[in-house]
Amino acid sequence: MRKAVFLDRDGTIIDNQGDLGDPNGVNIIEGAAEAIANLAEAGWLLIVVTNQAGVARGGFTEADIKIVHDHIDTLVGPIERYYYCCYHPEGILEEWKGSHSWRKPSPGMLEQAIQDF
């Protein structure tokens, strides 16, 4: 068993409080890259859990989320895995409209990560 740190993405790693599907909008919060590197060096498994309702709102796609996460990795690394939830109760896209066990504050993403690792 490995010890793990679960991090939110927006407002914790990157300076973003809205929907972000464009890697050009990624701004790393001061000190975040160093903190992530220190945690990794100390042997912590780093996992990001993030609500991404911009997909439900029609602002961007799941593919865009991957592009943003890949870009974050180039700037801060080494994130072991990203878990994200695109559902939102007020989403405009039917496939993502509603609540889901992965949508924070529900523990679904954390439970999945624990099972995976």
Side-chain angles (χ1 to χ4, degrees):
M1 184 175 2
R2 290 180 65 190
K3 55 188 178 179
V5 173
F6 295 92
L7 302 165
D8 190 15
R9 187 189 87 174
D10 302 331
T12 302
I13 298 173
I14 64 171
D15 183 18
N16 178 55
Q17 298 303 317
D19 295 334
L20 179 64
D22 180 357
N24 293 320
V26 170
N27 294 307
I28 303 299
I29 291 175
E30 184 177 340
E34 294 82 7
I36 288 169
N38 289 337
L39 287 166
E41 185 176 312
W44 290 89
L45 178 68
L46 301 171
I47 298 171
V48 170
V49 291
T50 178
N51 287 336
Q52 293 301 308
V55 174
R57 292 185 184 108
F60 51 88
T61 68
E62 282 189 272
D64 295 326
I65 294 171
K66 170 110 172 76
I67 293 167
V68 168
H69 290 168
D70 289 346
H71 185 59
I72 292 170
D73 282 344
T74 67
L75 300 172
V76 302
I79 303 298
E80 183 71 29
R81 186 161 316 160
Y82 291 84
Y83 291 85
Y84 58 88
C85 180
C86 300
Y87 286 90
H88 192 277
E90 298 172 11
I92 63 169
L93 300 177
E94 283 303 316
E95 64 267 31
W96 297 112
K97 185 176 183 172
S99 52
H100 191 274
S101 64
W102 275 36
R103 181 161 175 77
K104 292 185 303 180
S106 294
M109 288 186 278
L110 299 173
E111 292 170 341
Q112 185 64 54
I114 290 166
Q115 182 179 347
D116 291 347
F117 289 96

